[in-house]
Amino acid sequence: MKKDENRSLTEINVTSLVDVCLTLLIFFMATSPFVMQSGIKVSTPSVQKAKADEKADDIKANIYLQNDSLLVLNGEPLALADFPDSLRALLAASESKQVVISADDDVIHERVIMIMDEAKQCGAKGLAIVKTKAPRASDIKSKKI
């Protein structure tokens, strides 16, 4: 009888170890989709970076969204259907392919995101969102849409 008692004490019970491992596996499988979400990388501006990246002759696409569904690209009003072609042509002439987006306070968030998405699809490498006041009517070239 003594041999059986000694033998049973030397065996390792792995049932609890397997339970813990399976619980951790399920936990990591359930939380992994939250970690792999896509997003937009946001970097804060710095003075040194602005001086290093500053090029006066490079063309930037300045997009302004007004609350009356008017889209202004570098001072020229555009219809939404003409926007992708005009932006592609502008970005093709640009080295840095920077797009600056600003909007009225009343513009819905979805419209700004749609323009950002369209700009990325047109080849924009950098997007900047700027809080500005509405451009003056004299700054926008008159053009019937």
Side-chain angles (χ1 to χ4, degrees):
M1 267 228 182
K2 285 191 173 193
K3 287 184 181 180
D4 289 335
E5 288 177 14
N6 287 338
R7 198 164 111 202
S8 66
L9 293 176
T10 60
E11 292 179 8
I12 299 174
N13 185 4
V14 293
T15 306
S16 61
L17 181 64
V18 171
D19 288 344
V20 169
C21 289
L22 288 176
T23 304
L24 286 173
L25 178 67
I26 291 170
F27 174 76
F28 287 125
M29 286 174 52
T31 58
S32 65
F34 299 116
V35 175
M36 301 221 178
Q37 289 182 352
S38 63
I40 298 172
K41 182 180 177 184
V42 177
S43 61
T44 57
S46 66
V47 175
Q48 286 120 1
K49 186 176 180 185
K51 287 180 181 176
D53 292 344
E54 191 174 301
K55 290 183 181 177
D57 59 345
D58 194 23
I59 301 169
K60 289 186 181 176
N62 292 314
I63 301 168
Y64 183 75
L65 303 170
Q66 291 182 341
N67 57 0
D68 58 355
S69 299
L70 181 67
L71 180 95
V72 179
L73 177 63
N74 283 359
E76 293 186 24
L78 284 177
L80 192 57
D82 299 332
F83 172 68
D85 295 330
S86 299
L87 185 60
R88 276 191 192 95
L90 192 62
L91 290 175
S94 173
E95 281 184 38
S96 63
K97 300 187 184 334
Q98 296 291 319
V99 175
V100 178
I101 300 173
S102 57
D104 281 342
D105 290 335
D106 298 335
V107 174
I108 60 173
H109 185 73
E110 179 182 4
R111 189 161 173 244
V112 175
I113 297 297
M114 180 188 72
I115 294 298
M116 289 173 64
D117 187 40
E118 189 69 39
K120 280 301 238 183
Q121 289 177 9
C122 289
K125 290 186 179 177
L127 289 174
I129 300 173
V130 179
K131 171 73 172 149
T132 60
K133 293 183 180 179
R136 296 177 299 218
S138 62
D139 292 341
I140 300 174
K141 299 174 185 172
S142 62
K143 181 178 178 183
K144 290 188 177 181
I145 297 175

